[in-house]
Amino acid sequence: MESDHSGSGDDDCSTATDEAVRQRAVALVQRILDRAYEDETELYAHLDWLEQALRCRYVSDLIFWPDVPPSAEDVVRQALSFGPAIPRPRGCPTDHTNTRR
C-alpha cells in the first residue's frame, strides 16, 4: 500500500526537524569549543546527545582532534557526512566511552 504525501506536509516537517537538530548541534558544538559547560558530566551529556542526534560516534574526534581548528558548522557538517553509524549488534554491551568512570 503506497502512502500519498502530497499536501500532507510530512516532508516539510521532517526537513524542519532535521534543520532544528542541526542548529541545536551547531550550538552545542560551539558551547564545547568555547568550553562553556559546567563540568565533565555536562560535557559528556553534550557529546552523547551529539553522537545520537548526528549518528556519528566520532564527533568528539572532530571537536578535540581536528586536522585544523574547526568551526561548529564544520564539525556538524563533517559528522553528518559520515552517514549513520553501523548499528551495534544485538547483545553487544553499550559503549561507555563518554561515561564518567
Side-chain angles (χ1 to χ4, degrees):
M1 174 190 230
E2 284 186 51
S3 60
D4 178 19
H5 293 291
S6 60
S8 68
D10 288 344
D11 292 333
D12 292 339
C13 183
S14 176
T15 302
T17 301
D18 292 346
E19 181 59 20
V21 169
R22 191 193 69 74
Q23 287 178 1
R24 180 170 181 209
V26 169
L28 279 180
V29 170
Q30 190 60 57
R31 284 187 61 142
I32 293 169
L33 291 172
D34 294 342
R35 292 180 168 74
Y37 46 86
E38 294 291 323
D39 54 21
E40 285 184 1
T41 302
E42 184 178 0
L43 170 63
Y44 293 145
H46 291 332
L47 290 172
D48 287 342
W49 186 90
L50 288 164
E51 287 177 4
Q52 292 294 316
L54 302 175
R55 298 186 309 196
C56 176
R57 294 185 199 169
Y58 311 107
V59 71
S60 62
D61 291 350
L62 297 172
I63 295 169
F64 296 112
W65 297 283
D67 294 331
V68 296
S71 70
E73 289 276 348
D74 290 339
V75 169
V76 172
R77 185 179 31 74
Q78 290 175 355
L80 290 171
S81 73
F82 285 126
I86 298 170
R88 192 172 295 286
R90 193 174 295 189
C92 185
T94 303
D95 181 8
H96 293 290
T97 305
N98 291 328
T99 307
R100 191 172 215 183
R101 302 206 190 279

